[in-house]
Amino acid sequence: MEKKLFLLVLLSIFFASSSAWATVSGQCSNCHTMHNSQNGINDKTGVLSDGTLLTGTSRSLTKGDCVGCHTGDISASATDKIPYIMSTGGTEYGPDYTPVTGALENAPATNTLAGGSFNGVRLAGSDNLGHNVFNIRELKDANMPDYAPPGWIATTFKADAGGGDATGTIATDGWTTQLTCAGTMGCHGNHVEADDFADINGAHHGDDSRIDGSTVAKSYRFLRGILGYEDADWELSVSSTDHNTYYGLDRANTTTTGMDAKTISYLCAECHGNFHSGTDIIYNSTTIADANPWLRHPTDFSLQTTAADTEYRDYANASGTLYATGTSAYNYIAPLASANVSAGDDNNKKASTTTPPTGAISDPFAVADNDIVTCLSCHRAHGSAYADLLRWDYTDMQAGSGGDGVNKFANKGCFACHTTKD
């Protein structure tokens, strides 16, 4: 009897733990080799017979470094259970708008993940199509005087260093090397170790059942301290009801005291701080009431807290149709963040379905603070087919020409928010 009871206890522990962990799954050989050597390639750059790209030094007995393991056929990301951030097959991109006609194409997307890709930087060799990350493009951006990113503030924005309180720093001694995937000079990981692998150690096999920012594994997309709802296939399939939900906050002011270090825009500000606070956002003002004129584009602000007669209340869906009560207004090409994705939200778990949290699905105006403008409303995190990592071609944004038979970008791209400017 005691043996049976002991067995039942063991089984209950096993099933409880297996349901609480939503970690990397699949064959170990998908990522690892026993002796850090494969097909005659030993810890060096090269391409395996299956097309896997090896770059730099591969540690933890992996087949490649961060870039090598996340390079492949982007359309196979869901089946391979690996988000591919660079393609072996070309420069795919979408969903998007065709030039001149403005027709929606590649929707739902099957060849671009939410963060875009580094195809433009690596394959096309263009600095302005993506972040110049070490082991992707072995060059400093030719337009930058040094390695420091534009708008970098050394002391204002702190990267989360393990305490969940944004106490760490990024490149406090100045940028002397290239941006890396993780580490003190990167975006992902703890921001403690300079080495990518050491800094993100354990995250791929950690407990990520709840995204609360307490660990790398429990942070949105391994961005330590950042919150959000993770779409199950990284937006390989995407629609107004099938998407990531980024965490944003409707700030009361433009100073650092009005910010939340767990928003996706704060993550961007860790490197591009001048675009996110103080007099570098509003000309000669730090209050929202007299935010006129804006010096830099506002982030972490709500559309529906603007005046009732402003153009921003007519935010358009992906097809360009203006928002109206009861329609699917969420625009997955120009996405808005939600303040309703938080550490205490029961819905804020790693996605097991394609449905975002209630109140952040199709109608961003249905719930207060569900319509937050972020950096990612306009940019892709990794890169895109367009200059400055923009989600659409900026040259197609022709003021006053929407629907004139030549340029048909009415309520699309920039005009998804600036609905009276097309």
Side-chain angles (χ1 to χ4, degrees), residues 298-314:
T299 54
D300 272 349
F301 292 104
S302 168
L303 294 184
Q304 60 185 307
T305 57
T306 59
D309 59 348
T310 62
E311 61 182 337
Y312 312 111
R313 297 296 189 96
D314 290 326

Side-chain angles (χ1 to χ4, degrees), residues 17-88:
S17 62
S18 64
S19 63
W21 291 63
T23 58
V24 169
S25 61
Q27 294 184 9
C28 298
S29 60
N30 288 341
C31 301
H32 298 277
T33 63
M34 284 296 292
H35 301 288
N36 212 2
S37 174
Q38 191 73 20
N39 295 352
I41 299 174
N42 181 27
D43 211 18
K44 302 294 182 182
T45 58
V47 180
L48 302 183
S49 58
D50 63 359
T52 300
L53 177 68
L54 301 180
T55 60
T57 302
S58 305
R59 288 138 294 171
S60 301
L61 282 75
T62 55
K63 293 169 65 175
D65 64 354
C66 302
V67 181
C69 289
H70 289 275
T71 296
D73 183 353
I74 292 178
S75 63
S77 294
T79 55
D80 291 352
K81 298 182 179 180
I82 300 175
Y84 292 124
I85 48 83
M86 192 158 62
S87 175
T88 54

Side-chain angles (χ1 to χ4, degrees), residues 1 68 74 81 126 148 240 290 295 299 337 339 352 406:
M1 181 65 181
I74 292 178
K81 298 182 179 180
S126 178
S240 63
D290 57 344
L295 183 62
T299 54
S352 58
V406 178

Side-chain angles (χ1 to χ4, degrees), residues 114 235 238-239 243-246 264 303 315-316 318 329-338 364 370-380 391-392 413 416-417:
E235 290 193 2
V238 63
S239 70
H243 55 81
N244 290 326
T245 301
Y246 305 109
I264 194 66
L303 294 184
Y315 172 75
Y330 184 89
N331 187 328
Y332 47 85
I333 301 179
L336 298 176
S338 172
N370 228 28
D371 55 350
I372 311 297
V373 177
T374 76
C375 303
L376 298 188
S377 295
C378 303
H379 300 276
R380 297 280 187 184
R391 291 172 171 266
W392 50 80
C417 292

